[in-house]
Amino acid sequence: MKTYTITVNGTAYDVTVEEGTGSAAPVAAPKAAPKAAPKAAPKAAPKAAGAGSVKVEASVPGKVLKIEASVGQSVKAGDNIIILEAMKMEIPVVAPQDGTVASIDVAVGAAVENGDVLATMN
């Protein structure tokens, strides 16, 4: 038997090899070097609170039928902000979170497309 020292990724391992005359003896594989845990990705910085830090967008194309909230009004998540008329139905556009309405960016009768900003909140 012979002992060899091998280095894998900076870690030294002693490996013993048995020498035979007819058939090759199995050699025990060295244990793999421990891997370092991956570093966690940095978290995104939170949005700064300020005028219009949260956008309220149209989810369908249509026409503004009614404005339910006013600038400066406190609203809770799920409260109606604007009502759109789309596909002959009234579609409420609701507050995505609790906050205050910072601006209303459309007028009654205005045509809007999917993704258009209708209002902003703080």
Side-chain angles (χ1 to χ4, degrees):
M1 288 204 283
K2 289 189 177 182
T3 301
Y4 299 93
T5 300
I6 60 170
T7 303
V8 178
N9 293 334
T11 302
Y13 296 96
D14 289 333
V15 178
T16 303
V17 178
E18 185 176 325
E19 294 179 4
T21 56
S23 62
V27 178
K31 291 183 180 177
K35 292 184 178 182
K39 293 183 180 180
K43 292 183 178 179
K47 287 185 176 181
S53 60
V54 176
K55 294 180 179 5
V56 180
E57 299 178 348
S59 58
V60 294
K63 182 174 83 173
V64 176
L65 188 62
K66 185 176 181 184
I67 298 174
E68 295 267 307
S70 58
V71 174
Q73 180 179 341
S74 292
V75 293
K76 297 212 180 278
D79 287 351
N80 291 346
I81 304 284
I82 293 174
I83 305 292
L84 296 178
E85 181 181 22
M87 300 173 282
K88 299 192 184 219
M89 297 185 309
E90 290 185 10
I91 311 278
V93 179
V94 300
Q97 65 185 37
D98 294 356
T100 303
V101 177
S103 70
I104 300 291
D105 302 324
V106 292
V108 172
V112 296
E113 294 296 323
N114 186 21
D116 284 355
V117 176
L118 307 177
T120 56
M121 294 177 53
N122 292 328

